[in-house]
Amino acid sequence: MTTRLHKPVFFHLIHKENAGGVEIGIVLSKEQLKQQFHYRIYSVFSLRQGVYSYSLIQLFVDLFRFRNRVIVSSLWASHFIAFFLSKLGCTWVVFFHSAGVFHSMDGFCKKLAEKHGNYFLADSDATASFHGLKNYFCVPYIFKDDEESDVERTIDVLFVARVDPIKRFDRFVRFCDLLRKYRPNLNVVVFCNEDFSVHLDEEARLIAKTFSYNYNASQQQIRNGMSRSKVFVSTSDKEGFGMAIAQAIGAGAVPVITRVGEPANYLDDESAIFLNSEDTDLQIASKVAEVLASGWSRSVLNREARDRLSGYAT
């Protein structure tokens, strides 16, 4: 009697289909993964054909079509759903993406994942260390330079993130206000999934109204925006690998970031401009203004960042 083996089918659950490092990483890797595995992506919160969580409904339909099912979960809502799917006989691979707790549900879902997950992935050693993982696979971003582009860099400052208080959009707004003391005509572009103003006070809202916004843009639109940007700013209080930062570097932008998560390991003061305490933001704004005014300085900083990131990934 012979046993028929069924190749595993990977169902990757993500939070939303919008701006964010996790989504960027998945989109960049999707075609390569599909060449090697039976790989599908589903978003927990999505709106398609007028139906909320349409992708999730499709997931439950597809689950019954295959036998050897592997659920890969990214971010808390995905972990929560994957826990229940694991009780239906699915293998559960937990993918941790951040060296920090973003939501009140993170702690609860983290405990579920650690107790019931079958395998563990982390986007960096910093993330694994934060979550106390001992047996895990580290899956860093495999850095690849974008092709050289002659596109004019018309965007001075770019910000890409899903709406979340941990991203500190309030600090970004105030930093840009300081930067305008040196560059009054500063062109600021924001890619996000919804209105950030709910997390701002009245004064900051007035400043933020001067920015240009792109809501729920495609990943290709985000990458095009990065390739037209001089500086990419991340004001996050917590990060994992910093996928959006890495992608912006690959697109030729200079990283201006907080010293958190794995970016603090793969970048240094020769390859990035670090935002330290908020008390020093005016001083840093002066330095960023000088970099914005000098194509040569931007080129040197970006090349250092590319080299550092390329060496880290290999």
Side-chain angles (χ1 to χ4, degrees), residues 26-56:
I26 290 171
V27 168
L28 292 176
S29 306
K30 181 173 62 175
E31 294 307 317
Q32 182 180 358
L33 287 168
K34 282 186 174 181
Q35 291 175 9
Q36 301 180 55
F37 308 104
H38 194 155
Y39 176 80
R40 296 160 174 255
I41 300 174
Y42 302 83
S43 59
V44 175
F45 301 108
S46 63
L47 181 63
R48 292 186 193 172
Q49 300 181 17
V51 180
Y52 196 63
S53 292
Y54 174 87
S55 182
L56 196 57

Side-chain angles (χ1 to χ4, degrees), residues 169-187:
F169 187 65
D170 60 322
R171 183 177 182 182
F172 172 75
V173 170
R174 298 187 193 287
F175 179 76
C176 289
D177 191 40
L178 293 174
L179 193 51
R180 280 204 168 119
K181 296 181 184 299
Y182 303 97
R183 292 181 68 87
N185 298 320
L186 189 73
N187 181 19

Side-chain angles (χ1 to χ4, degrees), residues 3-20:
T3 301
R4 183 180 179 184
L5 298 178
H6 296 273
K7 291 184 177 180
V9 181
F10 293 87
F11 299 84
H12 195 159
L13 306 186
I14 61 176
H15 194 68
K16 290 184 179 181
E17 298 169 319
N18 50 42

Side-chain angles (χ1 to χ4, degrees), residues 24 26 87 137 165 178 211 251 259 262 300:
I24 289 175
I26 290 171
K87 300 306 177 183
F137 295 93
L178 293 174
F211 302 166
R259 203 183 293 268
E262 204 66 14
V300 170

Side-chain angles (χ1 to χ4, degrees), residues 146-164:
D146 285 358
E147 294 182 4
E148 292 295 329
S149 174
D150 294 328
V151 176
E152 184 180 1
R153 296 189 179 272
T154 56
I155 300 173
D156 292 319
V157 176
L158 182 69
F159 185 88
V160 177
R162 69 172 59 83
V163 173
D164 193 302

Side-chain angles (χ1 to χ4, degrees), residues 44-114:
V44 175
F45 301 108
S46 63
L47 181 63
R48 292 186 193 172
Q49 300 181 17
V51 180
Y52 196 63
S53 292
Y54 174 87
S55 182
L56 196 57
I57 295 171
Q58 188 63 48
L59 165 67
F60 285 102
V61 173
D62 291 344
L63 279 173
F64 291 99
R65 298 173 51 206
F66 305 97
R67 294 188 183 182
N68 194 355
R69 300 162 299 184
V70 180
I71 305 296
V72 183
S73 60
S74 295
L75 307 181
W76 74 265
S78 300
H79 299 330
F80 189 71
I81 292 172
F83 163 72
F84 289 101
L85 295 180
S86 70
K87 300 306 177 183
L88 297 177
C90 299
T91 300
W92 183 10
V93 179
V94 185
F95 202 156
F96 290 104
H97 295 274
S98 176
V101 175
F102 280 58
H103 298 274
S104 57
M105 287 293 292
D106 272 354
F108 173 71
C109 292
K110 175 177 177 288
K111 291 179 180 178
L112 278 182
E114 291 174 343

